[in-house]
Amino acid sequence: MRSSVYSSPNSGSAASAKVDIQMEDRLEVFQGERAEIQCNYSFSTEPHMMMIQWFVKSASGSRVRISYSDLTTQTVDGSTEYSGRINVSAGAGGEVLTIRSVRIADEREFFCEVNGMAAGSGEEKTHLAVFEPPEGPLIEGVHSGISVSRELPTKVASCEARNGFPKPNITWYRNQVPLRPTQGQVNIVTLVTRTSSDLYTVQSDLQYKVTKEDRHAFFSCEASFLVPGDTRTSTSRQIGIIVHYPTTKVELWKERPRGLVKEGDTVEIRCRGDGNPPSPLTFNREQQPEVELDSEDGTLTLHEVTRRDSGVYQCRSAGAESPEEVVGHTTLTVHYLDAAIVVPRDSEVMFKGESLTATCNALSSLNTTTVWFKSGEEVGRGHTLVLQDATFDTAGEYVCAVTVPSQPDMHTTGSVHIVVEGAPEMKRTEGYVSLKERAGKLVNLSCDARGRPRPIITWSIAGSQSWREVANRVTEDTVHSLVTVKLTSDTTATCNATSDMGSETRSYAIEATPPSDGSGVVIVVIITCLLLLAVLGSVLYFLHKKGKMACGRSGKQQITAEKSNRDEIVVEMKPESKTEDVVLLKGVNGEQRPPNEQYMDLRN
């Protein structure tokens, strides 16, 4: 609040009349709001006549009255830019000038002139400040890449704050650190325009000398602007820029397969440079730098590699951003496992009792293990297999399996077939077998012999003329013979197994025992007893028919149970060689048949 005291000379008095006027130095409002400018005044001597006028300073600097009032009248001047937009009202100790819908153009000085004639006169002013926050800021980066090789700062982004008042200020940031104009590094070019509505639009271009490190940097801008009683800021979004820089390093690696490489694999070698944009890449082998290998998008593919593909591979980068050639290296090792070689090869003949040493080797770039198998079962470990004191069981197929422990899918096998030759030998060790069997019985005799060459079996049988060979089966080195002999007397059978390497025999001594006689005597006794029982039954039946036996209801004898028991008598004998059955037959209704109707059934 500013206060001014004005004095007026009074010719009729020694003292001067005074008027005190008080107004705000500055009044701040947003555009579109209502502004109320207070003008308070007081007189040292009561005025008899008073006049108050409001003036505004025009754009040309002249003062234009906009309102007039006295003790009886209050009038707003017409034909001014404020006609119809202001009104003046009396307030406590003065007047209030009210401006509706404040505009940017209203930012100027308003004067309040008080004239009390003889009581004194004077004036004061208030500066009306109008504010409008800007839109944005809006940031936009350049879409093309910026090369680090440029010597002068290059535009990297622009920032715009629109329609603000007073004029906003723009500040640039890199990774939230403010950028200041620096010779040869940072230039900031600002363009300010004012619209027909008196609002400011500020456009700022950032010119910056980029480095490779700026590829990960973020740039933003901040608009600062005034508001009533304060200063505010608004920050844009962060943007990155595209930085072009030369390749300084090339990285080369094996993409697949994972782990060790073996013959037959498909290998992919990838190459990547650290430049932007990526420079063209070429592949070659170190020992043949002039031969460019076929590749695509930084990938070299080698199909079905062999050990000859082992070596050092190079990747070269050269381009517009990379005037100097950059080379990367990687070493490819293709591991291998050759076919197993077994000594002796294929097949080997041994004699019974001999010893043999077999070896199995497979050339490999890695450590290997060797296991020997026969018929699916492990029989040895290591590159050497020793067969000692050969028997016919030693013969067969021996397989050596060579594997790489560090690469389980690398394996190979080899084999050798062992043949053992020797004189025939019987399956059972007993050369002489003694037996006892009943005369007339059929006896089976077998003979199993083994040998190489395969033996031939012949039989020599003394004591029986009734014999025949019922089976003869042979394999690669065995023969089985089965004969059936019917015993008629003591018999001697000899099996002879012979080959070019020798012979071996096996003898059977069979004692023929006669059948037992006790069984016939027993049969005769049983038959005699049955006949006696039949005769006794016939007599009883005859007496009954003649009526010589006392029969009556009271004196009838109950012999049914006993008779029934006799009727069911059966005698069975089973000797070792045969069985004889004798059955006492019954008549109709369970009665005993007479002797002349009985018969005997013998089953051998």
Side-chain angles (χ1 to χ4, degrees):
M1 177 73 69
R2 182 167 55 188
S3 176
S4 299
V5 178
Y6 298 92
S7 299
S8 178
N10 190 343
S11 59
S13 172
S16 298
K18 297 180 181 179
V19 60
D20 183 13
I21 303 174
Q22 294 181 343
M23 292 183 72
E24 293 286 347
D25 290 339
R26 182 181 177 91
L27 178 62
E28 298 180 346
V29 295
F30 285 110
Q31 180 178 227
E33 292 184 342
R34 184 177 65 179
E36 294 181 349
I37 303 174
Q38 185 80 30
C39 179
N40 295 328
Y41 52 88
S42 61
F43 293 92
S44 60
T45 302
E46 186 70 24
H48 299 287
M49 187 176 180
M50 183 177 61
M51 180 176 59
I52 301 173
Q53 300 179 91
W54 287 89
F55 295 88
V56 64
K57 193 172 185 179
S58 66
S60 62
S62 62
R63 288 166 44 132
V64 177
R65 194 180 77 172
I66 60 176
S67 175
Y68 165 84
S69 63
D70 56 23
L71 294 176
T72 60
T73 305
Q74 197 286 317
T75 302
V76 174
D77 291 303
S79 301
T80 71
E81 58 182 308
Y82 289 97
S83 300
R85 202 158 59 88
I86 64 171
N87 67 283
V88 179
S89 60
E95 283 188 352
V96 177
L97 172 65
T98 301
I99 306 173
R100 296 182 297 275
S101 299
V102 173
R103 304 167 183 169
I104 297 299
D106 294 331
E107 173 148 342
R108 59 184 66 184
E109 291 178 338
F110 289 82
F111 298 87
C112 176
E113 184 182 277
V114 180
N115 188 351
M117 305 302 176
S121 63
E123 70 176 16
E124 270 300 337
K125 63 181 178 179
T126 293
H127 181 81
L128 179 62
V130 183
F131 299 88
E132 178 67 22
E135 303 170 8
L138 300 176
I139 189 171
E140 185 72 24
V142 296
H143 299 291
S144 60
I146 306 167
S147 175
V148 298
S149 61
R150 295 186 180 182
E151 297 180 357
L152 297 176
T154 305
K155 178 182 175 180
V156 298
S158 63
C159 180
E160 185 179 62
R162 303 178 60 187
N163 300 327
F165 191 89
K167 177 177 68 69
N169 293 316
I170 293 179
T171 304
W172 285 95
Y173 291 84
R174 177 188 181 274
N175 293 337
Q176 300 182 347
V177 176
L179 293 172
R180 306 298 181 193
T182 304
Q183 181 66 32
Q185 296 294 325
V186 179
N187 290 335
I188 298 176
V189 179
T190 303
L191 175 64
V192 180
T193 57
R194 194 165 185 175
T195 65
S196 59
S197 58
D198 294 326
L199 296 176
Y200 289 100
T201 294
V202 179
Q203 180 177 335
S204 177
D205 292 340
L206 173 63
Q207 297 177 351
Y208 184 78
K209 190 176 188 318
V210 298
T211 64
K212 183 178 179 179
E213 289 70 25
D214 291 316
R215 69 190 187 279
H216 301 308
F218 291 98
F219 293 85
S220 61
C221 61
E222 176 189 81
S224 59
F225 51 91
L226 297 175
V227 296
D230 198 7
T231 300
R232 294 180 183 174
T233 59
S234 178
T235 304
S236 71
R237 64 187 176 91
Q238 293 186 332
I239 64 169
I241 60 175
I242 302 173
V243 181
H244 287 176
Y245 47 88
T247 299
T248 59
K249 182 177 66 175
V250 170
E251 183 182 7
L252 200 61
W253 73 95
K254 175 172 64 69
E255 181 70 17
R256 70 180 183 98
R258 302 296 184 185
L260 299 177
V261 178
K262 66 181 184 302
E263 288 189 323
D265 286 342
T266 295
V267 179
E268 285 187 5
I269 299 177
R270 297 289 304 275
C271 180
R272 180 174 57 199
D274 63 348
N276 187 44
S279 301
L281 301 172
T282 59
F283 290 86
N284 64 272
R285 300 187 68 170
E286 187 178 53
Q287 58 269 38
Q288 296 176 309
E290 71 285 352
V291 179
E292 181 177 332
L293 302 176
D294 291 336
S295 62
E296 183 177 358
D297 296 331
T299 301
L300 173 65
T301 303
L302 304 174
H303 298 280
E304 297 183 352
V305 295
T306 67
R307 68 196 72 181
R308 291 188 297 274
D309 293 312
S310 298
V312 178
Y313 287 78
Q314 295 179 334
C315 174
R316 300 175 182 272
S317 171
E321 295 291 338
S322 304
E324 295 184 2
E325 188 177 63
V326 182
V327 182
H329 304 78
T330 189
T331 300
L332 175 65
T333 301
V334 180
H335 294 285
Y336 54 89
L337 176 65
D338 289 344
I341 298 176
V342 180
V343 178
R345 296 192 175 192
D346 300 331
S347 181
E348 182 72 11
V349 177
M350 300 177 62
F351 292 104
K352 285 176 60 177
E354 285 186 343
S355 296
L356 174 70
T357 298
T359 61
C360 176
N361 291 284
L363 185 63
S364 176
S365 58
L366 298 168
N367 292 330
T368 61
T369 59
T370 303
V371 181
W372 293 85
F373 296 92
K374 181 186 179 188
S375 301
E377 295 185 0
E378 181 179 330
V379 294
R381 283 182 171 269
H383 297 293
T384 302
L385 177 67
V386 178
L387 303 177
Q388 294 180 332
D389 194 14
T391 66
F392 290 132
D393 290 332
T394 305
E397 186 86 6
Y398 290 83
V399 177
C400 71
V402 182
T403 59
V404 177
S406 60
Q407 197 77 0
D409 55 348
M410 293 180 65
H411 52 81
T412 184
T413 59
S415 64
V416 59
H417 186 76
I418 300 298
V419 177
V420 178
E421 293 187 350
E425 60 181 30
M426 294 295 183
K427 184 175 181 180
R428 295 186 178 89
T429 57
E430 301 89 346
Y432 183 83
V433 180
S434 178
L435 301 173
K436 285 185 178 183
E437 295 291 345
R438 292 193 308 275
K441 184 177 180 181
L442 295 176
V443 179
N444 291 330
L445 304 177
S446 66
C447 188
D448 294 276
R450 185 179 187 183
R452 192 174 181 93
R454 186 177 64 238
I456 298 174
I457 290 181
T458 59
W459 289 89
S460 175
I461 299 176
S464 175
Q465 299 299 319
S466 179
W467 68 276
R468 63 188 180 91
E469 187 178 37
V470 296
N472 190 293
R473 296 191 301 272
V474 297
T475 64
E476 183 180 2
D477 60 352
T478 63
V479 60
H480 168 78
S481 178
L482 177 66
V483 298
T484 299
V485 179
K486 184 173 183 179
L487 293 181
T488 56
S489 61
D490 292 348
T491 301
T492 300
T494 302
C495 167
N496 299 290
T498 60
S499 72
D500 294 342
M501 303 296 293
S503 64
E504 188 171 356
T505 62
R506 187 181 188 197
S507 298
Y508 293 92
I510 308 171
E511 181 182 350
T513 60
S516 175
D517 295 335
S519 59
V521 175
V522 172
I523 292 173
V524 172
V525 172
I526 292 174
I527 293 175
T528 302
C529 293
L530 291 175
L531 290 174
L532 291 175
L533 289 173
V535 171
L536 178 60
S538 299
V539 173
L540 292 176
Y541 177 80
F542 178 78
L543 293 176
H544 175 71
K545 289 294 184 178
K546 294 294 184 179
K548 292 184 179 182
M549 291 186 64
C551 295
R553 292 181 180 273
S554 58
K556 186 177 181 178
Q557 296 181 2
Q558 302 295 325
I559 63 173
T560 305
E562 180 180 359
K563 180 179 179 181
S564 175
N565 290 339
R566 289 194 187 106
D567 290 344
E568 295 178 358
I569 292 175
V570 177
V571 178
E572 179 178 0
M573 285 191 63
K574 293 183 179 181
E576 293 182 5
S577 61
K578 63 182 178 177
T579 302
E580 298 177 354
D581 295 337
V582 179
V583 181
L584 188 62
L585 303 179
K586 299 179 181 180
V588 178
N589 298 323
E591 295 181 350
Q592 190 73 36
R593 288 187 179 183
N596 58 351
E597 295 182 6
Q598 298 289 329
Y599 70 91
M600 181 174 62
D601 183 15
L602 298 178
R603 291 176 291 176
N604 293 328

